[in-house]
Amino acid sequence: MLPAPFIAAVQQLIGAKRLLAEAADLQRYGVDRTTIWQPAPSAIALPGSVEEVQQLVLLANQYDVAVVPSGGRTGLSGGAVAKNGELVIALDRLNEVIEFNPIDRSVTVGAGMVTEALQNFAEQHGLYYPVDFASAGSSQIGGNIATNAGGIKVIRYGMTRDWVLGLKVVTGAGELLELNRGLLKNNTGYDLRHLFIGSEGTLGLICEATIKLARPPVDLAVLVLGVNDFPSIMTVLEKYTAAMDLTAFEFFSEAALCRVTEHTGLARPFESQAPFYALLEFEQGGDQLDTAMALFEQCLEAELVSDGVVSQSLSQAANLWKLREDISETLWHYKPYKNDISVKVSKMPDFILEVDALVAERYPSFEVVWYGHIGDGNLHLNILKPAELALEQFVAQCSSVSSEVSELVERYQGSISAEHGVGLLKKPYLKHSKSSEEIALMRAIRRSFDPKGILNPGKLFD
Amino acid sequence: MLPAPFIAAVQQLIGAKRLLAEAADLQRYGVDRTTIWQPAPSAIALPGSVEEVQQLVLLANQYDVAVVPSGGRTGLSGGAVAKNGELVIALDRLNEVIEFNPIDRSVTVGAGMVTEALQNFAEQHGLYYPVDFASAGSSQIGGNIATNAGGIKVIRYGMTRDWVLGLKVVTGAGELLELNRGLLKNNTGYDLRHLFIGSEGTLGLICEATIKLARPPVDLAVLVLGVNDFPSIMTVLEKYTAAMDLTAFEFFSEAALCRVTEHTGLARPFESQAPFYALLEFEQGGDQLDTAMALFEQCLEAELVSDGVVSQSLSQAANLWKLREDISETLWHYKPYKNDISVKVSKMPDFILEVDALVAERYPSFEVVWYGHIGDGNLHLNILKPAELALEQFVAQCSSVSSEVSELVERYQGSISAEHGVGLLKKPYLKHSKSSEEIALMRAIRRSFDPKGILNPGKLFD
């Protein structure tokens, strides 16, 4: 479907073997972690330099070819899906460390670097890249930035946004921009860097990023608590955050724990059952461990929690983390409906009750599994497909759930996508999180960066 | 200079006594902390609600009236100067707490709230607003956001940007936008909130802000070190940041210390003199104080520092802070040329040497006084007017200094404005920090939000 002279020019530019069009390649590079859309790109380009990316975008403009930027394709919203004969530009080859300075505690890397590789690089230099999530082993830095990835350490370390000191991008018009120069402080007009973070490939291709690194946390302890009901989690959160700096405050339901222990063979944290579990992580140095244990006693006395365990070793801490981190992978076995939403932390108890009631009333056979990042107001709503329900019917019914939950999110002044982005999946619901004026301004901004609309068409908005 | 029907409509809208036009009002509201431009607004409007702000902007559009938004007018770049018959819209009356929730640790306030009032409000509720700087007693939250104010705690807590969870703004076109709804996580397209932060009143008027609050730091200690040369400060910084979480790492030169002690009567930190001083602040709990003192011993042995003192009480800590915080106010007595610049932390030693050499060679009678935020790469360059030089000549010569320093900043890939913004003062030098493509995109964005260009015309760019 690509014009022949365009193909010739691309082959000339990056080399014929860097332009893939085998069925397996189209399948592999044309889709992210979603399973809803059929991948159908025309070809996959694997540029080897920022200059090649820029030339590719200029050629795409010249020949009116739609482009889908591709990172690690671990997204959950269809932001990297190519289903209409687009050219996929995959940044895989731009995966090197370009510059590192220990005094600045910053590193410039190619957008194709895998998250875990950056984490490891930081560790080798006595530093720490704190953005972490289940797909760190395959997601790429460029994709993380394009979706402003969150994860399990946001309560202490923030989102990907908070670690980006500089970006080298090629806009939809083919302009090369160097944004913020890796500086910590730079108040010189609109911060276009922040516009690119979370833009899901609709303004430009992120080619390189300068990332801030942190002092590594020391001697982390993990505490898992059995909590008697959801409002109690809030009280526990308030008590702990008032007294200490947590590096994580996660939660999951008994239903989630059952599935994970069943599928992974991991031991339960303790024998007794509770409706919900909170997972707290903190540096145990100073008197932090004592503080944490004293608060635990208080929570027990106040009947907020029913049981608890604190890690006694690194391996025990890692195993407790797995109870939370393996939930997502475990639930894939149940062909789940997944929704990533947020409300203000204080509104979570009421919101969860309303969602539970809504699903119970309308779809009594559905099993809801909750987990997420309590400290950030971020809930992962999962619904497992009932064994007796055909997949198509389940998908259709879940589409109604999405509409109803999105309306509820709007009523709670929340977000229809907390950390996964909009892509194709959340596009119909964007109106519940953004006003029509905001969406019109977003469109106008997009036109300024990508006048011909060749980048990731149909993502975010039509 | 304002059209009569416009004046009548404004008086009708906000009440005649809320539209000021006395000479003293025009003088007071027409200028910020800069002393370069003569204030000459036509009138000052003091709206009492967001709706009134919106109606004012709609009227300004209708009658083609230029508007200058005004906060606490503590800016140092002329961003709030009204010198061409504009209508100043001052947000002073929107200064209330609108909503506070201790579980969310967030507070929604009017843009006119004074920074210190927010700090105090947080303290009263056992929380902490960590953005702090010398003008906290009169600067307003809206102005802080419009200039992305930094200050003395950035190394630990970041800039104003990092504390803004939501904004209610009126765009130049008169549209009311609620950006980000106070959420911690919300990945639903371009984050327009971040576009407004640092936009210096050229996209819209910030009317309300939802601000995140933090756990207050406990038991802060201040350590002042005499450092033997500038490169040694870098080594000291590296040692301390590798081992502990600092809440501040500031520096000042012996010249700065002399002026401050002379003008304020404060005691020197210790008897011996050093070319530079580093001020470190940290929570002394756990073993942090021991760590800090052990590092001090190491630094003494390595001949990086020559002397030091650690605070033994809150009042001593406050007095040590004054040595740094009173520099800016002290230097005003010398009619100083001031420049706020940043480079990467690692490049500071070379950069400072080059600036010193440049000034020494070209303007041997100029005395350079350095201070700033080492941990952020942020230098405040001050040049004192030689007593024998006429002010006009000094200003003219300093204009050449600005050009030369800006070229040097570009060569070092730094920023011509680290934390003060661009306004009128840095407009001629913006090209040294932003490419022509970036500036063109900034202009296009401005047109989307303010199609008639009525907001703060001539600021940032022409």
Side-chain angles (χ1 to χ4, degrees), chain A residues 99 101-106 108 147-152 154 156 159 161-162 171 175-195 197-200 202-203 210 215-216 234 237-238 240-245 283 285-287 342-347 373 375-378 380 409-410 412-422 430-435 437-439 441-446 448-449 460-461, chain B residues 99 101-106 108 147-152 154 156 159 161-162 171 175-195 197-200 202-203 210 215-216 234 237-238 240-245 283 285-287 342-347 373 375-378 380 409-410 412-422 430-435 437-438 441-446 448-449 460-461:
Chain A
E99 200 186 336
N101 189 311
I103 293 179
D104 296 322
R105 286 179 164 190
S106 72
T108 301
T147 55
N148 186 25
I152 55 181
V154 174
R156 166 76 170 268
M159 309 281 279
R161 178 183 301 287
D162 298 295
T171 69
E175 289 176 341
L176 180 63
L177 305 179
E178 289 195 49
L179 303 174
N180 205 51
R181 298 180 172 177
L183 298 168
L184 290 166
K185 278 176 153 180
N186 178 20
N187 279 350
T188 49
Y190 316 149
D191 198 329
L192 303 184
R193 165 187 51 149
H194 281 290
L195 205 50
I197 299 169
S199 64
E200 302 188 34
T202 63
L203 299 178
T210 302
R215 181 182 70 73
M234 296 290 110
L237 174 70
E238 207 184 345
Y240 273 90
T241 52
M244 53 198 296
D245 290 329
E283 292 181 284
D287 47 9
S342 80
V343 294
K344 282 188 180 177
V345 172
S346 59
K347 293 183 176 174
H373 319 288
D376 323 317
N378 184 181
H380 294 310
V409 165
E410 181 173 3
Y412 274 81
Q413 288 287 293
S415 172
I416 54 113
S417 185
E419 56 175 6
H420 293 171
V422 174
L430 184 61
K431 61 176 186 245
H432 296 293
S433 269
K434 292 267 199 277
S435 69
E437 290 87 351
E438 273 177 273
I439 295 172
L441 285 164
M442 280 167 54
R443 285 179 195 274
I445 289 168
R446 172 156 159 77
S448 301
F449 285 83
L460 265 184
F461 34 63
Chain B
E99 199 187 338
N101 190 310
I103 293 179
D104 297 321
R105 287 181 165 188
S106 72
T108 301
T147 56
N148 186 27
I152 55 181
V154 174
R156 167 74 171 269
M159 310 280 281
R161 177 184 303 284
D162 299 297
T171 68
E175 288 176 340
L176 181 62
L177 305 180
E178 289 195 49
L179 303 175
N180 205 50
R181 299 179 172 177
L183 298 169
L184 290 166
K185 277 177 155 181
N186 178 20
N187 280 350
T188 49
Y190 316 150
D191 198 328
L192 303 183
R193 163 185 53 146
H194 281 291
L195 205 50
I197 299 169
S199 64
E200 302 189 33
T202 61
L203 299 178
T210 302
R215 180 182 69 74
M234 296 292 110
L237 173 70
E238 208 185 344
Y240 273 90
T241 51
M244 53 197 296
D245 289 331
E283 292 182 283
D287 47 9
S342 79
V343 293
K344 282 189 179 174
V345 172
S346 59
K347 292 183 177 173
H373 319 288
D376 323 318
N378 183 183
H380 294 310
V409 164
E410 183 174 0
Y412 274 80
Q413 288 286 293
S415 172
I416 55 112
S417 186
E419 58 176 4
H420 293 170
V422 174
L430 185 59
K431 62 175 185 245
H432 296 294
S433 270
K434 291 267 200 276
S435 68
E437 290 88 352
E438 274 178 271
L441 285 164
M442 281 167 55
R443 286 179 194 276
I445 290 169
R446 173 155 158 76
S448 301
F449 286 82
L460 264 187
F461 34 65

Side-chain angles (χ1 to χ4, degrees), chain A residues 6-295:
Chain A
F6 174 77
I7 294 175
V10 171
Q11 287 177 329
Q12 169 97 28
L13 176 68
I14 61 172
K17 68 176 180 158
R18 303 298 188 186
L19 187 68
L20 316 179
E22 301 279 334
D25 298 321
L26 303 182
Q27 180 71 31
R28 176 178 163 210
Y29 282 96
V31 74
D32 59 8
R33 194 69 206 253
T34 54
T35 53
I36 301 168
W37 300 279
Q38 197 52 42
S42 290
I44 318 300
L46 290 161
S49 68
V50 178
E51 294 65 36
E52 286 184 5
V53 175
Q54 185 178 20
Q55 292 306 316
L56 281 172
V57 173
L58 289 171
L59 284 170
N61 270 280
Q62 188 184 336
Y63 289 96
D64 286 314
V65 170
V67 166
V68 173
S70 173
R73 295 177 301 285
T74 56
L76 293 164
S77 296
V81 166
K83 61 185 178 72
N84 294 317
E86 303 93 334
L87 175 73
V88 171
I89 300 184
L91 281 296
D92 301 30
R93 292 175 63 212
L94 305 186
N95 62 354
E96 305 278 316
V97 170
I98 295 156
E99 200 186 336
F100 168 65
N101 189 311
I103 293 179
D104 296 322
R105 286 179 164 190
S106 72
V107 58
T108 301
V109 302
M113 175 170 273
V114 168
T115 312
E116 201 173 72
L118 176 59
Q119 292 169 340
N120 292 340
F121 178 86
E123 199 182 331
Q124 284 154 20
H125 293 83
L127 292 165
Y128 182 60
Y129 180 60
V131 180
D132 197 16
F133 39 78
S135 62
S138 46
S139 68
Q140 295 176 4
I141 296 301
N144 296 354
I145 296 170
T147 55
N148 186 25
I152 55 181
K153 302 289 176 106
V154 174
I155 192 174
R156 166 76 170 268
Y157 295 102
M159 309 281 279
T160 297
R161 178 183 301 287
D162 298 295
W163 298 91
V164 177
L165 294 177
L167 289 178
K168 193 179 274 191
V169 303
V170 172
T171 69
E175 289 176 341
L176 180 63
L177 305 179
E178 289 195 49
L179 303 174
N180 205 51
R181 298 180 172 177
L183 298 168
L184 290 166
K185 278 176 153 180
N186 178 20
N187 279 350
T188 49
Y190 316 149
D191 198 329
L192 303 184
R193 165 187 51 149
H194 281 290
L195 205 50
F196 272 84
I197 299 169
S199 64
E200 302 188 34
T202 63
L203 299 178
L205 284 111
I206 294 164
C207 298
E208 291 177 14
T210 302
I211 302 289
K212 187 167 64 170
L213 301 174
R215 181 182 70 73
V218 179
D219 223 2
L220 290 171
V222 175
L223 175 66
V224 174
L225 305 174
V227 190
N228 295 334
D229 51 33
F230 195 85
S232 296
I233 300 184
M234 296 290 110
T235 316
V236 174
L237 174 70
E238 207 184 345
K239 281 181 185 290
Y240 273 90
T241 52
M244 53 198 296
D245 290 329
L246 300 173
T247 54
F249 193 113
E250 301 281 304
F251 94 109
F252 44 93
S253 63
E254 171 64 21
L257 181 64
C258 283
R259 307 289 169 165
V260 162
T261 50
E262 192 179 310
H263 271 269
T264 61
L266 287 163
R268 297 179 64 90
F270 32 76
E271 276 194 23
S272 65
Q273 286 193 13
F276 294 102
Y277 300 87
L279 183 154
L280 293 73
E281 189 195 58
F282 51 88
E283 292 181 284
Q284 55 186 303
D287 47 9
Q288 289 252 104
L289 185 59
D290 294 343
T291 306
M293 297 320 291
L295 288 170

